[in-house]
Amino acid sequence: MLRVLQIVRLSSRCSSSFVSRMRFLNGLKQNDDVCSAALQNAHMFLFHRLSPLLQRNHQGTFRTAELRTSDVQSLLENLGSDRTLLQEAVLIGCTEQNQAQFCLDIGGLDQMAAEELCGGTFVDLRKSFFLLSGAEAPLVAKAQALLRWHQTSGFCSATGQPTHRNRAGSQRTCSSSGIIYYPKMSPVVIVLVSDGEHCLLGRQATFPRGLYSALAGFCDMGETLEETLSREVAEEVGLEVQSFSFSSSQHWPFPQSSFMMACHASVSPAHAQLCVDHSELEDARWFSQQEVLSALQTPPHRGGGAPPHPLAPPKTRRRSSTHHRVDPEHQILNRLRRVH
Ligand SMILES: NC(=O)C1=CN([C@@H]2O[C@H](COP(=O)(O)OP(=O)(O)OC[C@H]3O[C@@H](n4cnc5c(N)ncnc54)[C@H](OP(=O)(O)O)[C@@H]3O)[C@@H](O)[C@H]2O)C=CC1
Ligand SMILES: [Mg+2]
């Protein structure tokens, strides 16, 4: 109890609300009792088999369902589950008012009954990205990534014994060896290549029809950012990058959990002839600034436009007290808009 009061006092003494929130969250990760107390009166983001629960408001736009812990307790009772499922909730953040935010996957319970009781729909994460306003998408992506990690990390890869999570869900410990596991991410580079006049976009065969994006690839073990970038551009389109600059970064939940770093790169117009590796990309081509601007003005749900019109992926935006982040792909494409 003393520790609970210490953490609450420590975070409330801070002059900056950002510092206060970060201290508050760190306290929840470090102390199971403090975290349990916060869970009793928290905001809950509900998932069913890793699909977030969304609700449509009067204006026809979608939001994540705003549930409190007590709402979820009632829901679990109505669905015939006991309250112990609540112990699987994972901490994902806190509001400006230091109200903890948790997520919970109720995948073992009846989906339709849950949707009816909550007045919402569990929507596939990719579709959610197109439906949610920018501010909510990153939080939902983070929640899904953490839930997925817990669902696939139940056993220690060294001993084969069960692992047990802390109250916040920020780590798991092997019951036999004491090895501690933390959620893992794969570093990824996404790069907008330019020849000074055009930018290079590509598409994989699995992309929705008409969708082109900046090139991307996973970092190999031991590589630097620039080594990954140069290798991926060489592998996928056969070009040698002359220079590059870092733009921004974001968490990217597909296919699992990636840490995506976005860059601009330039190639010489005299050496801009593409040699596409069709085992990696179905198509890659140079687009003019006008084509990219048209794509950015096309609503994502009107997908399916036939090539060569690039269709930009959905925008995700996160605002905090100190940072304003735009997802890398839009940041690099927006720079084209300014240049134009
Ligand atoms: N516009 C956007 O926002 C885009 C985002 N992306 C994202 O960028 C990332 C990279 O995508 P992609 O272009 O496919 O990557 P790559 O070009 O690196 O190619 C994918 C291949 O890399 C291998 N690989 C190496 N490390 C990993 C790992 N940690 N996880 C999965 N596969 C790995 C796999 O090959 P093998 O199985 O043969 O070993 C896989 O098939 C993904 O997160 C993807 O979702 C990609 C394109 C556009
Ligand atoms: Mg790639």
Side-chain angles (χ1 to χ4, degrees):
M1 190 59 191
L2 186 62
R3 182 74 186 128
V4 178
L5 289 174
Q6 278 172 343
I7 287 169
V8 171
R9 277 203 206 111
L10 188 64
S11 48
S12 64
R13 270 211 305 266
C14 301
S15 53
S16 150
S17 73
F18 176 75
V19 173
S20 158
R21 282 190 295 125
M22 294 308 108
R23 292 258 171 103
F24 174 67
L25 276 176
N26 200 31
L28 300 190
K29 289 182 199 163
Q30 288 176 350
N31 189 299
D32 284 357
D33 293 338
V34 182
C35 197
S36 290
L39 177 61
Q40 294 313 308
N41 185 23
H43 286 248
M44 296 289 277
F45 290 75
L46 221 52
F47 286 71
H48 191 279
R49 299 200 178 146
L50 299 176
S51 293
L53 179 67
L54 305 189
Q55 288 173 334
R56 193 199 279 261
N57 64 18
H58 296 310
Q59 291 82 42
T61 55
F62 285 84
R63 297 286 317 265
T64 52
E66 282 188 22
L67 300 175
R68 310 300 294 249
T69 306
S70 53
D71 300 325
V72 175
Q73 282 170 335
S74 310
L75 177 72
L76 295 180
E77 277 165 22
N78 280 314
L79 293 173
S81 169
D82 63 35
R83 291 180 175 201
T84 55
L85 185 58
L86 204 59
Q87 300 308 311
E88 291 178 22
V90 177
L91 178 71
I92 50 172
C94 71
T95 65
E96 299 280 337
Q97 293 74 36
N98 283 5
Q99 189 107 46
Q101 296 165 311
F102 285 81
C103 58
L104 177 68
D105 195 312
I106 57 164
L109 304 178
D110 185 328
Q111 177 179 344
M112 277 169 64
E115 287 177 338
E116 204 167 306
L117 285 165
C118 297
T121 312
F122 293 101
V123 180
D124 173 76
L125 187 67
R126 274 190 196 272
K127 287 191 192 133
S128 307
F129 260 48
F130 283 98
L131 295 173
L132 288 173
S133 80
E136 289 193 302
L139 199 57
V140 167
K142 174 180 178 175
Q144 198 226 40
L146 282 167
L147 290 169
R148 184 197 295 276
W149 179 71
H150 281 287
Q151 289 173 11
T152 55
S153 307
F155 294 90
C156 173
S157 55
T159 67
Q161 295 302 308
T163 58
H164 298 291
R165 48 168 285 181
N166 63 345
R167 187 53 267 140
S170 58
Q171 57 176 233
R172 298 188 73 96
T173 306
C174 172
S175 52
S176 164
S177 66
I179 296 171
I180 300 174
Y181 292 91
Y182 295 95
K184 56 176 194 284
M185 299 182 283
S186 300
V188 162
V189 175
I190 187 162
V191 53
L192 189 71
V193 180
S194 167
D195 67 354
E197 288 290 324
H198 307 88
C199 70
L200 179 62
L201 303 176
R203 55 172 279 111
Q204 296 179 5
T206 53
F207 283 10
R209 194 162 159 262
L211 192 143
Y212 280 72
S213 84
L215 305 184
F218 291 100
C219 297
D220 280 350
M221 189 64 81
E223 274 184 336
T224 61
L225 176 63
E226 52 270 45
E227 285 167 348
T228 303
L229 185 156
S230 303
R231 177 182 55 73
E232 283 293 334
V233 174
E235 280 178 8
E236 296 192 352
V237 293
L239 296 181
E240 191 167 341
V241 161
Q242 283 186 314
S243 63
F244 89 100
S245 62
F246 174 77
S247 174
S248 59
S249 65
Q250 73 170 121
H251 172 252
W252 184 247
F254 313 111
Q256 304 271 318
S257 289
S258 303
F259 174 62
M260 184 179 266
M261 294 162 282
C263 298
H264 289 273
S266 61
V267 295
S268 151
H271 300 97
Q273 182 72 35
L274 302 180
C275 175
V276 179
D277 179 349
H278 290 289
S279 66
E280 297 218 25
L281 293 178
E282 184 184 74
D283 188 27
R285 58 180 75 183
W286 291 104
F287 287 90
S288 67
Q289 291 177 10
Q290 192 51 53
E291 285 174 303
V292 174
L293 288 174
S294 307
L296 288 171
Q297 281 150 13
T298 306
H301 61 269
R302 297 227 187 107
H309 299 296
L311 181 68
K315 195 180 283 194
T316 62
R317 189 181 296 236
R318 174 154 59 186
R319 192 184 285 279
S320 76
S321 59
T322 50
H323 307 290
H324 179 204
R325 301 182 208 172
V326 179
D327 67 286
E329 183 138 2
H330 278 267
Q331 187 152 328
I332 49 189
L333 291 176
N334 279 337
R335 193 156 117 177
L336 275 173
R337 194 197 302 262
R338 286 201 295 276
V339 169
H340 191 62

